[in-house]
Amino acid sequence: MASEHKFLKFILPARAFEAVKKGTKQWLIECKCGHLRDFWDLGGVRYKAVGEPRQYLNCPECQKNTWHKIREKTEAEKLQV
Ligand SMILES: [Zn+2]
C-alpha cells in the first residue's frame, strides 16, 4: 500500500476509505507514449473530483519525464480491474 493510502486509512473510517479507493480506482494516468497506469496504484487520491488534471511524472515505458494526463477510465477499462 502506498504511504499516502496508509495515512488515509489511518485518518478515515473504514467505509470512507473504501469509498475513496473505489472513486480513485475509476481513474488512470496516461503518458504521451500511451502507457497507462492505475492512478490508485501510484498513490493517487481522487474522489468526487472534476476535470482532467495533469501530473509531471517519470514513465517506466518511454523512460521520460513528461506531463501525464489523469483521466477517467472508459467503461471497457473499468472492467479490466
Ligand atoms: Zn511514456
Side-chain angles (χ1 to χ4, degrees):
M1 191 182 278
S3 59
E4 293 89 338
H5 298 156
K6 278 185 188 152
F7 177 69
L8 259 189
K9 199 162 189 176
F10 178 72
I11 59 166
L12 291 176
R15 276 178 61 195
F17 179 79
E18 285 305 314
V20 170
K21 182 177 179 180
K22 202 178 166 202
T24 307
K25 279 278 190 182
Q26 307 297 305
W27 294 80
L28 55 73
I29 193 155
E30 182 176 17
C31 178
K32 281 177 184 167
C33 74
H35 185 64
L36 301 174
R37 281 180 284 173
D38 200 294
F39 191 41
W40 176 260
D41 293 341
L42 283 172
V45 174
R46 191 159 177 83
Y47 182 59
K48 290 184 178 173
V50 290
E52 293 188 341
R54 282 160 192 276
Q55 203 163 322
Y56 198 67
L57 285 173
N58 181 263
C59 173
E61 189 68 24
C62 63
Q63 308 286 317
K64 289 177 190 163
N65 287 308
T66 62
W67 284 99
H68 285 57
K69 188 178 173 187
I70 299 165
R71 66 166 173 83
E72 195 167 3
K73 293 178 183 176
T74 63
E75 291 305 312
E77 286 165 344
K78 285 175 186 172
L79 291 173
Q80 286 170 14
V81 177

